[in-house]
Amino acid sequence: MDIQKISGKKCSCGRVHQIPIKEVIIEENALDQAAELLKKTTNQRKIYLTLDQNTKKAAGAELKEKLLKADFEVVEILLKERKGDDHLVPEPEALYKIIENIEHDGYVLACGSGSINDLTAYAAHKMQLPYSIVATAPSMDGYASSVSSITVDGVKQTYNTTPPELIIADLNTLKAAPWKMIQSGLGDLLGKVSSLLEWKLGVAIFDEYFCQEAFEMVESLLNDLFNNSEKIIAREKEGIEILTKGLIYSGVSMMMVGSSRPASGTEHHISHFFDMYAGIFQKSVPTHGIKVGTASFISSNFYLKLLETDFNEFELEHNREGREKEIREAYLDKADGILELLDQRWEHDLITKEDLLNQEEQIKSNIREFKDYLESVEGILDDFGFFERKDVKNLNRDWLKKAVNHGFELRFRYTISTLLRQAGLLEKWGDHVLSKLDEKLSD
Ligand SMILES: [Zn+2]
Ligand SMILES: [Zn+2]
């Protein structure tokens, strides 16, 4: 995969994809190349290096030494987790700390994963400085991204940022990442099985924009994942490379399309719903990837069941009052925003049974192409120990049911959950798959 081959050229989808990332390096000992790569990329000699205690140990200290040796001036910005948290949360306080330490010249370099990347990218964007990332864990797909998620008053918000110029992933560092972070990355990547199908569902029913290149890129990443999952579990170089590549290039696919359509569907909405409740009730929830991976069990089951269903059985009912009432009950003080969204999407989403029947064959053939992946999701989750995780076993079942039934209202994006809700089947299918999940978790 070569970004330069994708960027700036007319694609078969009719668009010219602009990917501002200059280089992605995923290699053993990539850290040794960092100083050289930066010299090629910038004339600035002053580097603002953001890290935390963990990433400093993992790669940051070594990176700093290498930069100093190459005659860079390094301003270290060490971020700390809040008391009581075991990890850094991307909150405004940490953001201010970065911005405070940055002047109007120089180059911003992050050394870390999710939170550090989100915070640093946003700070650099605000200060209008270029930025690059040295990845320390294959834990999420946000390295190649033009948005940052920052938690403000307990609520995750998404902000536009400038993507990194360089993404440097040293496989020696990533191989040694905590198991939980590898599980998280796997979960985020596994979620693409359903999100790709969600995209095709939108294309079939609404003739949404589609890019075959972006689709095929993510599918080939998934294919590598399914064929090499034991190598990831064993932390072999090849396995970690596949996982890291999968996560970074899923990000690239979103940049190509200009939205998260290829990489986020029902499984992500369920995860986002949990994040929202975590903010409202001030409770901690599993990492993004752990939630997305677990929710993939649900979304993949939905698709397999859809394949076996005669679309003639669907009775579509567009009951706006019912939806509004449920939104008020499920979204609590966030209901107003979601109701506004319902207002925006209502007309768009009004499909008829005829629309559905016309596309039945197309939709089913899309699912059939993914049947092997869909059927493998559960086994992969098993192999990676998702169902043994305490935080997954302890997932609040009431929240989970609400997330399955109402998560789809969070975004203006047609998914299988939207369809099932319109067919009056979401609760029934949801309960069915949740009881299956419960069985897995009680083993
Ligand atoms: Zn994700
Ligand atoms: Zn394209």
Side-chain angles (χ1 to χ4, degrees):
M1 258 163 271
D2 185 352
I3 285 178
Q4 300 315 322
K5 276 192 194 142
I6 307 166
S7 190
K9 300 188 180 77
K10 181 123 190 216
C11 180
S12 62
C13 70
R15 288 190 190 175
V16 177
H17 302 297
Q18 298 292 357
I19 316 287
I21 298 168
K22 291 189 172 134
E23 227 173 314
V24 178
I25 300 101
I26 308 171
E27 282 170 32
E28 278 180 314
N29 305 315
L31 217 52
D32 292 342
Q33 302 175 45
E36 207 48 49
L37 286 163
L38 282 167
K39 274 189 184 163
K40 255 192 357 198
T41 308
T42 176
N43 292 323
Q44 298 286 349
R45 308 305 298 161
K46 190 174 187 178
I47 306 262
Y48 298 101
L49 176 64
T50 59
L51 29 65
D52 69 10
Q53 270 325 336
N54 297 325
T55 66
K56 188 173 177 171
K57 256 186 254 154
E62 197 186 334
L63 174 65
K64 184 178 173 184
E65 217 171 280
K66 290 182 193 298
L67 294 173
L68 289 172
K69 247 187 216 153
D71 290 330
F72 282 104
E73 181 193 338
V74 180
V75 179
E76 183 180 309
I77 305 173
L78 186 71
L79 303 168
K80 293 201 175 87
E81 54 267 22
R82 284 179 318 189
K83 274 197 188 111
D85 276 340
D86 64 344
H87 60 280
L88 186 71
V89 180
E91 282 183 322
E93 213 176 302
L95 187 66
Y96 299 144
K97 170 146 188 194
I98 303 175
I99 290 178
E100 236 169 56
N101 282 284
I102 296 179
E103 282 151 39
H104 279 282
D105 66 324
Y107 196 90
V108 184
L109 181 64
C111 176
S113 58
S115 297
I116 291 180
N117 185 53
D118 277 325
L119 287 164
T120 311
Y122 190 54
H125 179 76
K126 279 277 145 200
M127 300 298 284
Q128 295 183 308
L129 291 180
Y131 124 94
S132 288
I133 169 85
V134 172
T136 54
S139 54
M140 44 84 228
D141 67 9
Y143 288 120
S145 175
S146 44
V147 293
S148 273
S149 90
I150 308 284
T151 306
V152 184
D153 296 327
V155 181
K156 262 193 191 172
Q157 313 263 22
T158 306
Y159 298 93
N160 288 326
T161 57
T162 314
E165 295 189 313
L166 304 170
I167 301 175
I168 303 170
D170 187 328
L171 290 173
N172 296 331
T173 312
L174 278 86
K175 267 192 318 197
W179 176 236
K180 181 183 176 179
M181 301 192 93
I182 295 175
Q183 282 178 309
S184 299
L186 178 277
D188 205 9
L189 191 52
L190 197 59
K192 314 306 178 215
V193 173
S194 43
S195 44
L196 284 179
L197 281 175
E198 304 278 39
W199 190 13
K200 283 223 161 157
L201 184 70
V203 174
I205 303 181
F206 298 100
D207 201 16
E208 275 180 38
Y209 162 72
F210 184 70
C211 170
Q212 187 69 30
E213 315 294 323
F215 184 92
E216 278 174 13
M217 183 165 83
V218 182
E219 200 206 328
S220 83
L221 298 165
L222 274 178
N223 197 47
D224 285 347
L225 166 74
F226 280 103
N227 288 323
N228 294 283
S229 58
E230 331 76 55
K231 290 182 184 153
I232 303 174
I233 295 170
R235 294 173 185 259
E236 281 173 34
K237 178 201 156 233
E238 198 192 343
I240 298 299
E241 184 175 358
I242 283 166
L243 179 58
T244 307
K245 213 169 162 186
L247 292 166
I248 293 174
Y249 284 92
S250 302
V252 172
S253 79
M254 290 187 255
M255 285 181 160
M256 288 169 74
V257 171
S259 83
S260 61
R261 192 45 152 153
S264 169
T266 290
E267 74 301 320
H268 271 74
H269 297 162
I270 291 174
S271 169
H272 296 330
F273 191 93
F274 264 88
D275 291 333
M276 181 191 72
Y277 262 37
I280 295 176
F281 295 102
Q282 293 294 303
K283 288 259 164 43
S284 73
V285 289
T287 63
H288 174 75
I290 299 284
K291 292 190 300 267
V292 169
T294 306
S296 300
F297 179 86
I298 298 163
S299 50
S300 58
N301 262 280
F302 280 174
Y303 271 103
L304 285 169
K305 197 160 173 168
L306 189 63
L307 186 58
E308 304 304 324
T309 305
D310 182 350
F311 284 18
N312 254 312
E313 290 168 18
F314 285 144
E315 290 308 330
L316 296 181
E317 192 205 357
H318 299 295
N319 173 359
R320 187 161 175 168
E321 273 175 25
R323 290 265 294 271
E324 287 174 352
K325 183 168 166 280
E326 287 177 24
I327 286 173
R328 273 193 214 94
E329 284 166 8
Y331 281 86
L332 309 168
D333 65 331
K334 307 283 183 284
D336 285 349
I338 305 296
L339 287 168
E340 225 169 85
L341 199 59
L342 182 71
D343 193 46
Q344 288 169 29
R345 73 191 288 183
W346 184 258
E347 292 285 329
H348 170 273
D349 286 358
L350 289 178
I351 59 164
T352 63
K353 186 164 179 171
E354 203 187 347
D355 294 331
L356 207 54
L357 288 173
N358 284 339
Q359 293 304 321
E360 177 167 4
E361 256 332 292
Q362 182 62 55
I363 292 168
K364 287 187 169 170
S365 108
N366 296 340
I367 304 174
R368 245 177 252 121
E369 275 172 38
F370 267 47
K371 198 167 176 228
D372 287 345
Y373 297 146
L374 291 165
E375 287 175 341
S376 304
V377 165
E378 182 178 333
I380 296 261
L381 291 170
D382 248 330
D383 293 345
F384 276 80
F386 270 68
F387 304 120
E388 258 112 68
R389 287 191 59 87
K390 233 188 174 161
D391 55 359
V392 176
K393 280 189 188 290
N394 290 341
L395 279 175
N396 183 316
R397 299 302 197 274
D398 176 44
W399 293 15
L400 196 51
K401 179 162 173 149
K402 285 199 171 86
V404 170
N405 280 297
H406 310 294
F408 76 94
E409 303 278 15
L410 270 168
R411 297 281 188 276
F412 187 156
R413 172 164 298 173
Y414 199 85
T415 65
I416 189 167
S417 300
T418 326
L419 170 63
L420 292 176
R421 176 63 181 87
Q422 291 175 330
L425 291 168
L426 185 57
E427 187 168 5
K428 192 172 153 209
W429 286 29
D431 284 351
H432 180 72
V433 66
L434 284 177
S435 72
K436 274 195 188 176
L437 180 62
D438 246 341
E439 265 169 50
K440 299 283 315 173
L441 295 176
S442 62
D443 276 352

